[in-house]
Amino acid sequence: MEGQPVISVIGSSAPPAETYELARQVGRLLARAGCTVVCGGKGGVMEAVCRGVAEEKGFSLGLLPAGIEEANPYVTLPLSTGLGEVRNVAVVSSGDAVISIGGAFGTLSEIGFALKLGKPVIALNTWSVQEPGAEPPLLQASTPEEAVKLALEKAGKEHHGGR
Amino acid sequence: MEGQPVISVIGSSAPPAETYELARQVGRLLARAGCTVVCGGKGGVMEAVCRGVAEEKGFSLGLLPAGIEEANPYVTLPLSTGLGEVRNVAVVSSGDAVISIGGAFGTLSEIGFALKLGKPVIALNTWSVQEPGAEPPLLQASTPEEAVKLALEKAGKEHHGGR
Amino acid sequence: MEGQPVISVIGSSAPPAETYELARQVGRLLARAGCTVVCGGKGGVMEAVCRGVAEEKGFSLGLLPAGIEEANPYVTLPLSTGLGEVRNVAVVSSGDAVISIGGAFGTLSEIGFALKLGKPVIALNTWSVQEPGAEPPLLQASTPEEAVKLALEKAGKEHHGGR
Amino acid sequence: MEGQPVISVIGSSAPPAETYELARQVGRLLARAGCTVVCGGKGGVMEAVCRGVAEEKGFSLGLLPAGIEEANPYVTLPLSTGLGEVRNVAVVSSGDAVISIGGAFGTLSEIGFALKLGKPVIALNTWSVQEPGAEPPLLQASTPEEAVKLALEKAGKEHHGGR
């Protein structure tokens, strides 16, 4: 795991089929790039990204709210955090960059925390958020390829250092 | 504190002057309605709402990330939660409804958590957030009066019960 | 609430009857001294201390893991934190001093967090804890009167300041 | 990581030299047994256990309170949780069993949370804790070998299941 960034992927547990496929492709691309992928470990977008990672023999970590029986079958290391929804903070804090795909209300909380923590957040068919009179805070991507490219670029700048 | 709802107020610690005055007026109106006000206890919108509450001899609770030396001078009961930014979850979870005024990234995380928890969220000159293909999740208000009226209406429906 | 300390009271939700009475008496004494009492808001020791506070027309705040339907009937202000067991951190962090009465495993976690945060912890018929080769970390009290006296003395030294 | 338990190791960041060596030996034994090791990622006992794991080419995960610059140099995957001391909950919740070695106040909070969560807790030269009138809650070990043996036995009973 040395030298490659950690990328957090967030999104809904019940996405439409096309969003699921976007996430799976993001997982494949992140694994090929040698990244460690962190997510919430459950279904939907989380399952899809872990599935893509597994298809490329990469490594994914799933930070679950409670018991690991909620884990999707593809996550490499499922962890029961015991934190409930507070685990959302750990999911986004763990990444050098965050990719948001689709998403429901929990995803919105993760976008907020990620921005608060100064993380670059890449948006792929996700929430649009806008503060009155401010710059748009999300980096827009229109394909999985573009999302992963942006994430790697931005992650490089605030990297895990010599690791 | 029997019989009246708890209203959470969220917003930036460094708002423009007009946003500060909106929040102060919201505080006055909530106190006149007999509500308990919960906020993050710091400056800016949090100070303004506590100030309005104090002007009407109401009760405000400030849930601070760390030490109470960060509390604004108007909060009735400042509490040092020791939770860091995780305290954002407690701020919105405590309310029967949430009023968001202005706001920065932390506020966005609070909006997300509030929606996730099923809380009604009233928007007063705050973030606009939109999920692709979904209903707008925030209830728009254009004045402090309208925001407080909406909050009380919505809070009543999922009330603190017999208390 | 100006000028008087905040005291956190922790303990089991299912104590024996005599422990319940100790906690109730602690609640009465804290209220008479003008303290704000913070606890976990549920049954057992938490109910007993809120009951004692209510008997003396004091103010208690109950930080609940989830919904306020779990609140005991005596707590002045029950708050739904949405934090699950993480709320234990907020309970002990809120106090200028902590009184532990009886107690189960959750109480032990609170004792640990309180000590970690540098809070004085007064022990009334509670866990005994001992690190090899170190000073005993808890201040022993044998009656409610002694526990409250110790809590007020120790709280005064790291006080809510000018508030 | 399939089929082998996750073991959490907790302890002080500033232990005496002999405690450091106990933790290092525990790390070696856990890695040889194929376990994933979770700890707080910092110095002292956490460094020692990660060092032992690294010496045997195992896998350790370090859940850090804030930035990964605090990580010890031996941890395989350091994660910045952004949770502050709340991360203690995640450290112990992640394990199928918990080994406590030496320890300061944070360790005591972790022991409490682990017991609250129903985890088996193995004690190796650590805190002694005793509730009045109850069974001793910790499983005593006198050597690293015994601690790891107990942890594996107990972890097996509430295992990560088919993973």
Side-chain angles (χ1 to χ4, degrees), chain B residues 4-40:
Chain B
Q4 290 305 319
V6 175
I7 305 294
S8 300
V9 179
I10 59 178
S12 167
S13 58
E18 62 187 342
T19 302
Y20 186 98
E21 288 306 318
L22 288 175
R24 190 174 170 182
Q25 180 63 5
V26 164
R28 286 190 199 110
L29 294 167
L30 288 172
R32 279 183 216 156
C35 299
T36 295
V37 173
V38 176
C39 72

Side-chain angles (χ1 to χ4, degrees), chain B residues 42-149:
Chain B
K42 295 175 73 174
V45 162
M46 297 169 271
E47 176 183 302
V49 74
C50 290
R51 188 173 180 173
V53 168
E55 286 165 356
E56 296 289 334
K57 315 227 178 299
F59 181 88
S60 66
L61 177 67
L63 300 176
L64 293 149
I68 61 163
E69 64 281 359
E70 288 189 293
N72 69 65
Y74 304 104
V75 59
T76 317
L77 180 57
L79 285 187
S80 151
T81 66
L83 296 170
E85 295 305 322
V86 170
R87 74 83 150 82
N88 289 7
V89 179
V91 169
V92 294
S93 180
S94 294
D96 297 304
V98 177
I99 302 177
S100 179
I101 308 171
F105 295 145
T107 309
L108 184 59
S109 77
E110 292 174 311
I111 290 172
F113 267 117
L115 294 169
K116 173 80 179 176
L117 292 165
K119 305 287 180 183
V121 180
I122 292 91
L124 182 59
N125 192 30
T126 191
W127 284 91
S128 66
V129 299
Q130 183 58 51
E131 195 182 355
E135 291 289 300
L138 305 186
L139 301 161
Q140 297 295 326
S142 48
T143 62
E145 287 71 19
E146 195 183 351
V148 169
K149 184 163 174 287

